[in-house]
């Protein structure tokens, strides 16, 4: 089969290549998925670049998220799953066979049934972004009637945070950096969208809610002043991305009685992952979730796909191994 892979860390152009490798066979508790689309997330490019992972042993096929169809199962897996359409998550976590290939082999629980009436473009957007958004929102209780601030509502996590929060009955304000991203946040369902460059950005958010109950935060350092300005004793700030270390204003945090939650999908307890998968699936089936604008690359241009993510491409970057 054709697969993108790397055997050392570095820039996309330097280390990613597409080769013919033996098609993997599923082991105990595993399924093999014929990949339709493979999603590229910031965590994938960080792992390949060495920011969050060490060099692979042998080679690594990147990417966690995908849509596809199960074509083989290993011992201990119900054979009725053969032919089932699925979306995947954490495919490359502790596993050589990520989804940037014609086939991937994953633990059976990481291949989640995808209804036939759901487009691949939505299924491939789920995985890392939707599960991360779910944990940021719901790890501290229900949201019905609550006020939620989503920073970066045009990003993948922000997009699903808006949609999941609205589906749960919350009121949502989102901050963005410009008009194109503002439109994406509105399409996701945000009740108010604020350009964080506006001098009165804090006043705009406080006009929506004097204090918010949840903050889903993509850039804790740059946004912390705004977050604290609209925080109170019930506020939980959940941050899921780390560009650099942050110096925390401890006294202001204490004065506001704010709780900080740090979120990294790789460390989720299995029960939390299972709950997130179930809730995301239910929201999808209810029609509450939508895809981001998709930007496609053939497998042969996987390095360009990684570079698009690194350059901050708006929407979802995907690799098509069938192209």
């Amino acid at each position: 089969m054709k697969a993108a892979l790397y055997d050392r860390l570095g820039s996309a152009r330097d280390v990613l290549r597409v080769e013919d490798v033996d098609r993997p066979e599923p082991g105990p508790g595993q399924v093999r998925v014929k990949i339709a689309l493979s999603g590229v997330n910031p965590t994938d490019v960080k792992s390949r670049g060495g920011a969050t992972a060490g060099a692979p042993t042998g080679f690594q096929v990147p990417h966690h998220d995908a849509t596809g169809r199960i074509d083989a199962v290993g011992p201990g897996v119900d054979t009725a799953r053969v032919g089932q359409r699925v979306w995947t998550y954490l495919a490359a976590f502790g596993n050589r066979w990520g989804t940037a290939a014609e086939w991937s082999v994953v633990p059976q629980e990481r291949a989640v049934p995808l209804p036939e009436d759901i487009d691949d473009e939505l299924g491939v957007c789920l995985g890392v972004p939707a599960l991360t958004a779910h944990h940021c929102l719901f790890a501290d209780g229900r949201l019905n009637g609550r006020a939620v601030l989503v920073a970066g509502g045009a990003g993948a996590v922000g997009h699903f945070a808006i949609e999941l929060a609205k589906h749960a009955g919350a009121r949502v304000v989102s901050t963005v950096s410009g008009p194109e991203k503002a439109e994406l946040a509105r399409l996701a369902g945000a009740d108010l969208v604020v350009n964080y460059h506006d001098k009165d950005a804090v006043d705009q958010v406080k006009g929506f809610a004097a204090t918010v109950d949840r903050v889903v935060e993509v850039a804790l350092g740059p946004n912390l002043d705004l977050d604290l300005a609209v925080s109170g004793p019930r506020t939980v700030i959940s941050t899921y991305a780390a560009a650099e270390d942050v110096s925390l204003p401890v006294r202001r945090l204490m004065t506001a009685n704010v709780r900080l939650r740090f979120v990294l999908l790789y460390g989720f307890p299995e029960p939390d992952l299972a709950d997130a998968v179930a809730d995301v699936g239910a929201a999808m089936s209810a029609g509450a979730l939508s895809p981001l604008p998709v930007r496609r690359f053939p497998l042969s241009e996987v390095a360009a796909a990684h570079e698009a993510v690194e350059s901050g491409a708006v929407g979802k970057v995907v690799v098509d191994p069938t192209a």
Side-chain angles (χ1 to χ4, degrees):
M1 72 171 186
K2 291 192 180 299
L5 56 87
Y6 59 94
D7 55 18
R8 58 191 175 90
L9 304 177
S11 70
R13 293 283 168 180
D14 286 341
V15 304
L16 278 174
R17 62 188 190 273
V18 177
E19 293 189 357
D20 285 312
V21 299
D22 291 337
R23 186 174 64 181
E25 297 296 329
Q30 293 182 325
V31 299
R32 188 174 67 202
V33 180
K34 180 72 168 68
I35 302 298
L37 290 177
S38 172
V40 191
N41 293 298
T43 188
D44 300 316
V45 302
K46 290 175 183 177
S47 294
R48 182 262 307 146
T52 60
T57 300
F59 67 83
Q60 177 67 50
V61 177
H63 306 175
H64 295 297
D65 300 343
T67 56
R69 199 173 292 272
I70 293 173
D71 74 347
V73 300
V77 180
D78 188 350
T79 57
R81 295 205 69 184
V82 173
Q84 186 178 63
R85 194 158 170 259
V86 295
W87 59 276
T88 70
Y89 67 92
L90 291 184
F93 181 46
N95 178 30
R96 168 175 288 176
W97 304 106
T99 67
E102 293 182 292
W103 279 270
S104 177
V105 165
V106 298
Q108 61 175 324
E109 65 274 10
R110 296 184 190 174
V112 185
L114 181 67
E116 294 289 343
D117 62 343
I118 300 296
D119 291 340
D120 283 327
E121 286 76 9
L122 174 55
V124 76
C125 288
L126 300 176
V128 169
L131 300 181
T132 298
H134 181 278
H135 195 71
C136 289
L137 290 168
F138 299 105
D140 296 279
R142 297 182 178 181
L143 291 182
N144 188 38
R146 305 287 193 185
V148 175
L149 167 60
V150 176
V157 175
H159 173 86
F160 287 116
I162 292 170
E163 294 191 330
L164 288 168
K166 290 297 295 179
H167 184 58
R171 300 169 57 241
V172 180
V173 54
S174 179
T175 55
V176 296
S177 61
E180 181 185 8
K181 293 181 177 181
E183 183 59 20
L184 289 176
R186 290 190 190 97
L187 288 173
D191 298 290
L192 175 67
V193 181
V194 175
N195 188 321
Y196 60 74
H197 294 301
D198 290 350
K199 292 182 179 179
D200 65 342
V202 169
D203 291 336
Q204 290 182 59
V205 177
K206 289 182 76 70
F208 178 81
T211 60
V212 297
D213 299 285
R214 302 281 193 282
V215 180
V216 180
E217 185 54 77
V218 65
L220 183 64
N223 295 338
L224 189 54
D225 277 344
L226 187 153
D227 294 344
L228 286 176
V230 298
S231 293
R234 294 198 311 181
T235 303
V236 181
I237 301 173
S238 292
T239 181
Y240 62 87
E244 57 189 18
D245 287 339
V246 175
S247 178
L248 295 177
V250 175
R251 175 56 61 182
R252 289 182 65 195
L253 290 161
M254 290 177 65
T255 300
N257 279 281
V258 164
R259 284 175 285 170
L260 280 177
R261 176 177 290 279
F262 296 91
V263 176
L264 184 64
L265 187 63
Y266 304 113
F268 282 16
E270 286 298 328
D272 291 359
L273 263 177
D275 286 346
V277 168
D279 286 354
V280 167
M284 175 181 63
S285 296
L289 304 183
S290 66
L292 287 148
V294 168
R295 184 175 176 187
R296 291 179 182 240
F297 292 81
L299 185 62
S300 61
E301 296 180 16
V302 64
H306 276 227
E307 290 170 345
V309 171
E310 290 171 318
S311 67
V314 176
K316 183 69 175 181
V317 173
V318 306
V319 169
D320 184 348
T322 70

